[in-house]
């Protein structure tokens, strides 16, 4: 079974600074997908960024980028130039690439961006 | 504007009540999911429907009864719940449970409180 671990329950960052959220996972699969979701106080889970395990290049979406270390089974999220609107819960998620590809989520990291 | 709509947004009920949660997706997806989100815990997958067929029941107590009349609608019928069932219940959809690279889209959730 796959497990996803987010070791930082809460983090804070000053507006305009950079913050990195950690995620590790455990799997015996060689092909899979990793995601970061954001859940603001409005509660809707929003997909922030995704990474295919077979791609060596780290995914980037505007101010959001990941550091994917497949051998270490690590998938951290870096938020650059943090904005107040980035305040939210962030969930790391793992999905197998084959049948029964349900997502497995970490417990989340609560990020607060301070003015 | 979310493609997955959940109603009601909030629900308070007694342990002997019967109520239902509703989820509707407007994305043309074929797979729908129910998750339970409790504080400081990973999202717990409860049920999965793929093309209206239940493909996953994650050892959920029988006091939770899902129903999927078509690929666009998903219900969660509640009966004789316990205080520990108080949580945020999230609905999600994806293109197809068998597709390997399609992330899930989430609704805003129903905040359920059991008195």
């Amino acid at each position: 079974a796959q497990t996803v671990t987010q070791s930082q329950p809460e983090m804070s960052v000053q507006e305009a600074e950079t913050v990195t959220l950690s995620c590790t996972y455990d799997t015996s699969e060689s092909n899979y997908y990793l995601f970061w979701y954001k859940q603001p106080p409005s509660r809707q889970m929003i997909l922030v960024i995704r990474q295919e395990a077979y791609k060596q290049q780290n995914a980037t979406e505007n101010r959001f980028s990941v550091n994917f270390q497949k051998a270490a089974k690590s998938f951290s999220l870096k938020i650059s130039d943090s904005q107040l609107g980035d305040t939210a819960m962030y969930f790391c998620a793992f999905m197998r690439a084959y049948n029964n590809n349900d997502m497995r989520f970490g417990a989340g990291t609560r990020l607060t961006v301070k003015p | 504007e979310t493609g997955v709509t959940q109603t009601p947004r909030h629900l308070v009920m007694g342990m002997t009540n019967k109520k239902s949660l509703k989820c509707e997706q407007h994305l043309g997806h074929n797979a729908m999911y129910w998750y339970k989100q409790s504080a400081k815990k990973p999202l717990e997958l409860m049920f999965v429907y793929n093309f209206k067929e239940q493909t996953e029941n994650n050892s959920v107590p029988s006091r939770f009864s899902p129903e999927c009349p078509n690929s666009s609608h998903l219900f969660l019928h509640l009966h004789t719940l316990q205080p520990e069932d108080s949580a945020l219940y999230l609905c999600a959809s994806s293109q197809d449970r068998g597709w390997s690279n399609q992330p899930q889209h989430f609704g805003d959730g129903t905040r359920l409180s059991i008195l």
Side-chain angles (χ1 to χ4, degrees):
Chain A
Q2 294 81 24
T3 58
V4 180
T5 302
Q6 293 178 249
S7 59
Q8 305 151 314
E10 295 187 20
M11 294 189 72
S12 63
V13 63
Q14 290 296 133
E15 193 175 9
E17 293 187 348
T18 296
V19 64
T20 299
L21 310 184
S22 301
C23 174
T24 58
Y25 57 94
D26 184 25
T27 183
S28 58
E29 305 282 341
S30 60
N31 197 16
Y32 48 87
Y33 299 87
L34 296 164
F35 306 87
W36 277 99
Y37 278 87
K38 168 185 177 181
Q39 187 181 38
S42 64
R43 300 186 333 207
Q44 187 191 356
M45 295 270 281
I46 303 165
L47 181 65
V48 175
I49 198 166
R50 57 182 289 169
Q51 174 79 42
E52 289 84 355
Y54 60 84
K55 290 186 177 179
Q56 291 185 336
Q57 186 174 5
N58 288 326
T60 299
E61 287 287 342
N62 300 315
R63 297 183 295 106
F64 298 88
S65 61
V66 298
N67 183 6
F68 174 48
Q69 302 290 327
K70 191 172 184 179
K73 296 180 182 177
S74 170
F75 182 61
S76 61
L77 174 70
K78 186 172 82 171
I79 307 174
S80 303
D81 186 26
S82 298
Q83 300 175 0
L84 296 178
D86 296 333
T87 293
M89 282 288 289
Y90 287 81
F91 293 94
C92 177
F94 170 98
M95 185 172 77
R96 293 173 59 183
Y98 304 108
N99 285 336
N100 296 329
N101 59 348
D102 302 322
M103 283 186 166
R104 294 290 181 260
F105 289 85
T109 296
R110 183 175 300 282
L111 176 68
T112 302
V113 179
K114 298 180 178 179
Chain B
E1 180 83 23
T2 175
V4 181
T5 304
Q6 289 187 244
T7 55
R9 190 167 174 82
H10 302 274
L11 178 62
V12 179
M13 56 187 286
M15 290 191 286
T16 58
N17 292 154
K18 290 183 181 181
K19 295 287 185 182
S20 296
L21 309 185
K22 179 182 177 182
C23 177
E24 182 175 3
Q25 57 95 1
H26 313 278
L27 301 169
H29 289 165
N30 296 303
M32 296 188 77
Y33 309 77
W34 278 118
Y35 288 90
K36 176 183 179 182
Q37 184 179 17
S38 304
K40 300 181 180 179
K41 293 176 67 175
L43 267 70
E44 300 173 54
L45 180 64
M46 300 174 71
F47 300 104
V48 181
Y49 278 82
N50 200 37
F51 292 93
K52 301 189 297 178
E53 298 296 321
Q54 184 175 310
T55 56
E56 184 88 16
N57 177 340
N58 229 12
S59 302
V60 180
S62 59
R63 58 186 183 269
F64 294 92
S65 175
E67 179 189 1
C68 188
N70 54 62
S71 292
S72 298
H73 293 85
L74 184 65
F75 295 89
L76 187 62
H77 304 299
L78 315 172
H79 175 53
T80 319
L81 296 192
Q82 303 299 310
E84 62 266 27
D85 297 324
S86 297
L88 181 67
Y89 288 84
L90 291 168
C91 175
S93 71
S94 67
Q95 182 63 41
D96 184 316
R97 197 182 180 213
W99 281 90
S100 61
N101 63 354
Q102 299 301 310
Q104 294 173 17
H105 297 254
F106 286 82
D108 289 350
T110 294
R111 174 72 65 189
L112 176 65
S113 299
I114 306 300
L115 301 178

